[in-house]
Amino acid sequence: MTALSHAELKKLEKDVGKAIANFEERQKAEARAEAEAVAKKFGFVLGDLVETSDSKKKTVPEAKYRHPENPLVTWSGRGRKPGWISEGLAAGKKLEDFAI
């Protein structure tokens, strides 16, 4: 191996990377086929048994407070208080004054 040039070693590295990626894809396909067969054996489709990333989307919390002058600006009550809430509280208002 010491007789190989830098370019040859880089090409060899690239080829090995491709071979590994192809091997992993074949293994995934084989595992998927076996999982589908087992699911089918029990009368299911694999997609019905496996949660996808789409099903784990975060839900947006419902707004609980609304800006007094701009009703499009809201806050759920989670996280850091927005400036307009802090300013209102400093001016003597109560949090309930902003409630929707």
Side-chain angles (χ1 to χ4, degrees):
M1 284 264 181
T2 56
L4 297 176
S5 70
H6 184 265
E8 291 170 325
L9 288 171
K10 284 292 190 182
K11 183 182 180 328
L12 185 61
E13 179 183 39
K14 185 178 176 182
D15 292 344
V16 168
K18 283 182 183 179
I20 290 171
N22 287 338
F23 176 81
E24 289 173 347
E25 286 302 314
R26 285 193 313 272
Q27 291 293 96
K28 285 180 187 178
E30 194 174 312
R32 188 177 299 113
E34 284 187 36
E36 287 172 350
V38 171
K40 186 176 181 180
K41 175 182 168 186
F42 289 96
F44 295 101
V45 176
L46 184 59
D48 294 340
L49 301 174
V50 179
E51 290 185 23
T52 62
S53 61
D54 293 341
S55 65
K56 293 185 179 182
K57 289 184 179 177
K58 292 183 180 181
T59 58
V60 178
E62 189 176 322
K64 294 182 182 178
Y65 305 100
R66 178 169 284 136
H67 191 285
E69 293 151 11
N70 185 353
L72 298 176
V73 178
T74 60
W75 179 50
S76 68
R78 293 184 183 179
R80 203 171 92 184
K81 289 179 187 163
W84 55 271
I85 291 277
S86 298
E87 290 168 8
L89 294 175
K93 289 187 177 184
K94 297 180 183 176
L95 193 57
E96 295 82 32
D97 296 336
F98 300 102
I100 295 177

